[in-house]
Amino acid sequence: PGTSSGSESTTAETGETGTTGGAFDCDAVSAGPFAPTLLLSGFQGSEDLAFDGQGGLVLKRGGEIVIVRADQSETVLAQGLAQAYGTRYLADGRLLVALPGAGDVIAYDAQGQPGVFVAGLTSPNGIYPDLAGDVWITEFGGSRVLRLGADMVPKTIVTGADASSANGVVYDPQRQLLFYTKYLAGQVQRVAIDDLGEPGAPELVAAVGGAALDGLTLDACGNVYAMDQKNSRLYRVRLDGAGAAVAEPVLLAEFPSNVANAQFGGGDGFDDHTLYVAGNPGDVYTVAVAVPGAAIATVL
């Protein structure tokens, strides 16, 4: 709910869990840039972050997976974790974590017990479980974007030069479009997915000169937000109903320490009209953008 063309002025109801909710205007976000607010520190190694929708924010501190609540109380979910990239929740409560060195995506249950979700990948990076239960994964070192369905057999969506240094990934079911970033090229790409789940040809959405685009997220108005990990910047790309850019990428924020991924808040105590931004040095920032994120898979 609340999804609309990013090129139109629209007011809608979010229907999302969070502290804000209510009506929003798809043209309410100013051109920026905004000054980010430091929320948390000390979470070294948090290449990514994830909301469970139940009041928990997952971060990494060294070899620990830590669940942080809005009052900044913490629970350690697991320990002994190697270098990790993408982290996202499945609706069944498991937390997916991409381990690039091992070539695996691990699924942690609510008690912190790990199991292999998918193995044999080349530097898995971005993870995106969609609302239908499919999981989209990028292989940074394998130049591939893939999808895992109920049969758990990886299906290649993009490969080769079109997926070189593939990083952030998000799927928009309303437009049936997959978006992903090419880190080294500083590009956002899109792929149309037909009713049978078959991909079309990749198309360029936007490029940011001199950037290394990392994490990617989608707002309820159908616009994408890309993190420039190289320069610690956040960009928004306004899209039309077909997923094409209607303007050049806009710089929304610059950060004092390095950042790689951003997610809209979700769950008790977290603002669904705010982006929460994290990176390896350990700092977590907030950027209020006046619109909520698109609906994502959270723990049921």
Side-chain angles (χ1 to χ4, degrees):
T3 301
S4 65
S5 167
S7 63
E8 300 174 357
S9 178
T10 304
T11 299
E13 295 295 323
T14 67
E16 297 297 304
T17 301
T19 61
T20 306
F24 61 92
D25 184 346
C26 287
D27 284 336
V29 182
S30 72
F34 302 111
T37 299
L38 180 63
L39 178 68
L40 300 166
S41 296
F43 292 92
Q44 291 83 4
S46 285
E47 168 82 7
D48 202 355
L49 66 168
F51 289 95
D52 62 12
Q54 307 295 313
L57 167 60
V58 170
L59 298 166
K60 188 169 176 280
R61 183 192 290 121
E64 297 180 331
I65 298 175
V66 183
I67 301 175
V68 183
R69 287 164 286 276
D71 63 4
Q72 299 193 15
S73 61
E74 301 177 2
T75 299
V76 175
L77 178 67
Q79 297 177 312
L81 191 67
Q83 183 186 26
Y85 284 168
T87 55
R88 290 291 183 274
Y89 269 99
L90 296 171
D92 65 12
R94 289 180 295 167
L95 176 70
L96 299 181
V97 180
L99 304 180
D104 300 333
V105 175
I106 301 297
Y108 287 90
D109 66 19
Q111 289 71 48
Q113 296 301 309
V116 176
F117 185 74
V118 60
L121 306 181
T122 304
S123 300
N125 194 318
I127 302 173
Y128 186 80
D130 69 23
L131 297 175
D134 292 336
V135 179
W136 307 80
I137 299 171
T138 59
E139 288 182 274
F140 185 89
S143 298
R144 188 164 67 134
V145 183
L146 59 91
R147 181 184 66 225
L148 269 73
D151 61 4
M152 293 302 295
V153 177
K155 177 180 176 58
T156 297
I157 303 299
V158 189
T159 190
D162 288 326
S164 177
S165 66
N167 199 311
V169 61
V170 64
Y171 179 67
D172 178 1
Q174 297 199 15
R175 290 179 293 197
Q176 293 182 244
L177 290 174
L178 177 73
F179 297 94
Y180 66 96
T181 57
K182 293 175 67 176
Y183 180 85
L184 295 176
Q187 296 177 349
V188 177
Q189 300 273 341
R190 73 171 185 261
V191 179
I193 308 296
D194 70 18
D195 291 340
L196 298 178
E198 295 299 321
E203 298 176 295
L204 177 67
V205 175
V208 179
L213 295 186
D214 200 310
L216 195 65
T217 192
L218 185 72
D219 72 17
C221 299
N223 306 309
V224 293
Y225 297 73
M227 297 302 308
D228 174 10
Q229 190 266 341
K230 178 181 177 181
N231 300 298
S232 300
R233 293 172 175 172
L234 167 67
Y235 288 89
R236 183 190 66 216
V237 184
R238 296 195 62 150
L239 305 179
D240 63 18
V246 299
E248 292 297 314
V250 172
L251 175 63
L252 287 188
E254 297 186 75
F255 300 85
S257 59
N258 191 256
V259 288
N261 278 275
Q263 288 292 297
F264 283 90
D268 292 343
F270 294 103
D271 187 348
D272 60 5
H273 286 51
T274 292
L275 281 166
Y276 293 74
V277 184
N280 280 311
D283 297 323
V284 179
Y285 300 92
T286 58
V287 180
V289 294
V291 295
I296 63 170
T298 53
V299 180
L300 299 175

